[in-house]
Amino acid sequence: MGKNFLKSSLQNASFNIIFQVGFRVVTFLLNAFVLRNISQAVIGVMNVRLLLLESTILFLSREAFRRACLSKTTEHNWPQVINLLWLTVPLCAVQCILFGWIWLYVLSAPGPEITTHYALGVWSICISCILAMCVEPLCLVSQAFLFVKLRVLIETFSVSIRTITFTCLVLWKPSAAVVAFSIAQIIAQICYALAYCFYFHNYLQQRKDMPSSPDDFPFKSLKDFLPKKLPGQAPVDWKLCILTWSFLKQGILKQILTEGERYVMTLFAVLTFYEQGIYDVVNNLGSLAARFLFRPIEESAYFYFSQLVYRDKQINEQNSIQMAEAAFVLKGLLKCVTSLGIIVVCFGQGYSRLLLMFYGGSALSDSLATLLLRTHCFAVLLLALNGTTECYALATMNANQIDRYNHIMAYLSASFLLISWLLTTLFGSVGFIIANCCNMAARIIHSVRFIHKRYEGTEFKPLKGIIPSPLFLIMVLISGLVTLLSEYMYYESSKVIHLGIGVVLFSMTLSVWYYEESDLVTIGYRKYRRRSIKME
């Protein structure tokens, strides 16, 4: 099978964005409804304490395996890869025991006035994580063999089940929100696992019934996704093991950097559960762009670059056509995410308060949450840049470079935790966001230096994509100033006028960007269409 990695990566990002946008609109409305029925302290327990446990276990259990096993997938010995992936299950189980014990007996538990079901929430997270690892081979194979829509559909289905179940149970009994959270977590994970099994069972059955199917899929039945002895071969690919170990060491540090503020909240109790709930609401709103725009782009870009660019070769030693394409894609991605981030910064200042009012009512919009969300807009810009530059760096680093990167991340992790604690002590919740900005700025600098060195001595200059056009910058700056003035003049008297002004200016800003970057849009569209025709 001639795999078109750019087309598949673009499709994957497109489907991800479309489904994420639609899904986030629905969950946004449901969460806004739930927000008025449970306390901020309970939200702090569920969305900070319990989801941090899930994030920690899942990230450390599978992220390194995913990154290693998605590198040069056409060269894999898949039975060895499957054996390696099944190591995630015992690894996850060990972490569930370790972190579950810490969450229950080391960290301070919420008081009975907040919830009496904290232990149930912890165990539900542990069980759901183990269930997720049991279908990790299916999930990774779907990515490696370009089942573009499958992962998006299944994850959307799973999260929809969780959100709807949780919402219904909370509305039925608001005082048992953590119980509702636990039940929804388990049900959603069961649906997630069954969906993958059901799909691949049907897919493999269809291939059996069609003798003319191309023999390019190395799995014949669901049993092939189970671990097995390999006569005459090593049980796993040791090179992948080494790469996985490198990514695992890096993953520990990256997890600290990614969830650093939550670890500081959890370990040092610098904020009450109520304050954690407020921060989480703002963080979720501020991260909407990252979740349904930047993250799908980063995941697809990582897969694309890891397939196209060899880790152990210089750019000049690789296929010039492919390297030109990779440089063009990187430059275009940087230009797009930077422009989006700048738009978020400028429009976020004038519309943070209005968004919070729609989401949680005047009690939320008139609190510290408005300042937090405005500050978070700057973090979104840095998050966009960091995600794209770091995804290219990690997709093209060799094992030695990844190890060196791990040492840098170790220093960043320690300094980030220290800065988070210090700034939070001085400025409260805003300190977390400022610390995040410092952290991401340092990571951006490191990734940019790597990319610059990677392309040094070549004709390609992908880092020029970081700087948007002057006309766009002028337009977005004017829009930001006008929307701030509009908020001052019309927020109290006529929110509709304030919103209308923003819509007009936003449309004008997008029009200017399209005018300035029409060449990029045209070339990108032509490349996509040309590759689509070739695939057909």
Side-chain angles (χ1 to χ4, degrees):
M1 176 175 63
K3 296 183 181 180
N4 190 319
F5 295 113
L6 176 59
K7 178 175 181 290
S8 298
S9 297
L10 288 171
Q11 284 182 337
N12 189 29
S14 301
F15 286 123
N16 253 306
I17 291 171
I18 291 170
F19 276 95
Q20 290 279 5
V21 169
F23 171 72
R24 291 298 171 185
V25 169
V26 175
T27 54
F28 180 87
L29 297 174
L30 290 175
N31 288 337
F33 192 60
V34 169
L35 194 61
R36 291 165 168 80
N37 289 273
I38 58 178
S39 72
Q40 299 296 336
V42 175
I43 292 176
V45 172
M46 295 186 300
N47 291 3
V48 177
R49 179 68 67 84
L50 294 179
L51 289 186
L52 177 63
L53 175 61
E54 180 188 46
S55 171
T56 301
I57 294 173
L58 288 181
F59 192 94
L60 296 180
S61 297
R62 71 185 181 190
E63 186 69 15
F65 291 86
R66 283 186 174 183
R67 288 192 176 275
C69 295
L70 284 175
S71 297
K72 291 297 175 184
T73 56
T74 56
E75 302 172 5
H76 284 340
N77 180 330
W78 279 101
Q80 290 181 328
V81 173
I82 295 299
N83 285 348
L84 179 63
L85 288 173
W86 273 99
L87 293 177
T88 60
V89 177
L91 178 62
C92 179
V94 170
Q95 291 187 81
C96 285
I97 295 171
L98 173 62
F99 289 112
W101 180 80
I102 292 173
W103 254 245
L104 286 173
Y105 301 109
V106 177
L107 301 178
S108 58
E113 71 280 2
I114 298 176
T115 181
T116 57
H117 306 110
Y118 175 66
L120 175 63
V122 170
W123 290 120
S124 70
I125 291 292
C126 293
I127 293 170
S128 68
C129 288
I130 294 174
L131 286 172
M133 291 304 98
C134 290
V135 291
E136 184 61 19
L138 297 173
C139 180
L140 187 131
V141 166
S142 70
Q143 288 182 266
F145 286 88
L146 310 181
F147 290 81
V148 176
K149 300 178 184 178
L150 178 62
R151 182 186 172 195
V152 180
L153 289 172
I154 290 180
E155 290 190 355
T156 302
F157 168 70
S158 172
V159 180
S160 299
I161 292 292
R162 182 173 62 187
T163 303
I164 293 170
T165 303
F166 174 69
T167 303
C168 293
L169 292 175
V170 163
L171 294 179
W172 175 57
K173 195 171 184 180
S175 60
V178 176
V179 176
F181 171 88
S182 304
I183 294 172
Q185 189 77 15
I186 297 295
I187 291 176
Q189 205 58 62
I190 291 173
C191 292
Y192 174 85
L194 290 177
Y196 268 112
C197 294
F198 178 76
Y199 176 84
F200 276 101
H201 172 75
N202 285 346
Y203 177 76
L204 293 169
Q205 191 62 46
Q206 288 175 4
R207 289 179 65 85
K208 286 181 181 179
D209 297 339
M210 297 175 62
S212 60
S213 297
D215 190 21
D216 55 2
F217 193 66
F219 304 95
K220 305 302 179 185
S221 71
L222 285 179
K223 291 182 180 179
D224 293 337
F225 291 97
L226 298 175
K228 65 183 70 173
K229 290 184 178 180
L230 303 176
Q233 301 181 57
V236 296
D237 185 333
W238 295 113
K239 288 184 179 180
L240 276 183
C241 289
I242 294 171
L243 188 59
T244 301
W245 175 243
S246 295
F247 278 125
L248 181 60
K249 290 185 290 184
Q250 170 213 321
I252 295 173
L253 302 173
K254 185 175 181 180
Q255 177 67 7
I256 294 174
L257 289 172
T258 303
E259 300 283 7
E261 72 273 12
R262 295 174 188 265
Y263 286 118
V264 172
M265 288 182 201
T266 300
L267 297 176
F268 301 108
V270 292
L271 300 177
T272 65
F273 281 110
Y274 175 82
E275 292 171 325
Q276 291 179 29
I278 290 286
Y279 178 85
D280 181 74
V281 170
V282 171
N283 188 57
N284 284 337
L285 285 175
S287 301
L288 281 175
R291 284 201 298 268
F292 67 69
L293 282 179
F294 300 142
R295 186 177 297 171
I297 291 173
E298 290 162 21
E299 290 178 352
S300 300
Y302 177 85
F303 178 74
Y304 167 71
F305 290 128
S306 67
Q307 304 304 307
L308 208 66
V309 183
Y310 284 92
R311 295 177 181 271
D312 297 312
K313 291 184 179 181
Q314 298 297 321
I315 296 296
N316 288 329
E317 299 173 355
Q318 302 188 47
N319 184 294
S320 59
I321 296 176
Q322 290 183 339
M323 294 307 98
E325 181 183 279
F328 169 80
V329 171
L330 178 58
K331 182 179 179 180
L333 282 176
L334 288 173
K335 186 152 288 189
C336 290
V337 298
T338 302
S339 300
L340 284 171
I342 292 172
I343 288 173
V344 169
V345 169
C346 291
F347 282 87
Q349 305 310 303
Y351 289 94
S352 292
R353 188 180 178 190
L354 185 63
L355 178 59
L356 288 168
M357 194 277 295
F358 285 146
Y359 191 59
S362 58
L364 186 62
S365 63
D366 294 337
S367 67
L368 179 64
T370 298
L371 175 61
L372 288 175
L373 188 54
R374 285 173 175 165
T375 310
H376 201 284
C377 291
F378 292 93
V380 170
L381 171 59
L382 295 173
L383 188 67
L385 264 177
N386 176 64
T388 304
T389 54
E390 196 170 68
C391 102
Y392 178 86
L394 293 177
T396 59
M397 284 179 177
N398 58 37
N400 291 331
Q401 289 169 331
I402 291 173
D403 284 336
R404 287 198 296 270
Y405 177 76
N406 291 340
H407 288 99
I408 294 173
M409 294 283 278
Y411 292 116
L412 286 177
S413 300
S415 60
F416 172 61
L417 292 177
L418 178 62
I419 291 172
S420 294
W421 175 80
L422 179 63
L423 292 179
T424 306
T425 303
L426 294 174
F427 304 113
S429 304
V430 178
F432 279 125
I433 301 174
I434 299 173
N436 254 329
C437 291
C438 296
N439 159 40
M440 285 184 286
R443 290 164 65 178
I444 290 168
I445 291 171
H446 177 266
S447 298
V448 165
R449 290 180 62 187
F450 172 83
I451 295 170
H452 174 73
K453 188 174 181 180
R454 190 90 161 114
Y455 283 96
E456 195 173 20
T458 71
E459 60 182 305
F460 310 118
K461 307 295 179 185
L463 290 176
K464 287 185 176 180
I466 293 177
I467 305 173
S469 66
L471 183 59
F472 168 76
L473 288 175
I474 292 171
M475 182 64 211
V476 79
L477 179 61
I478 292 173
S479 297
L481 294 174
V482 172
T483 52
L484 277 174
L485 181 62
S486 170
E487 181 187 43
Y488 176 76
M489 295 177 62
Y490 297 113
Y491 179 82
E492 298 293 345
S493 59
S494 179
K495 294 178 176 60
V496 174
I497 293 177
H498 177 48
L499 181 61
I501 291 172
V503 170
V504 172
L505 289 172
F506 182 73
S507 301
M508 292 173 63
T509 301
L510 288 183
S511 299
V512 170
W513 185 87
Y514 180 82
Y515 172 77
E516 288 289 290
E517 308 299 341
S518 57
D519 290 343
L520 173 65
V521 176
T522 302
I523 293 172
Y525 178 75
R526 285 176 180 173
K527 280 181 174 287
Y528 182 82
R529 287 295 302 165
R530 185 162 59 248
R531 289 178 175 274
S532 299
I533 293 170
K534 286 181 180 180
M535 285 293 289
E536 293 169 0

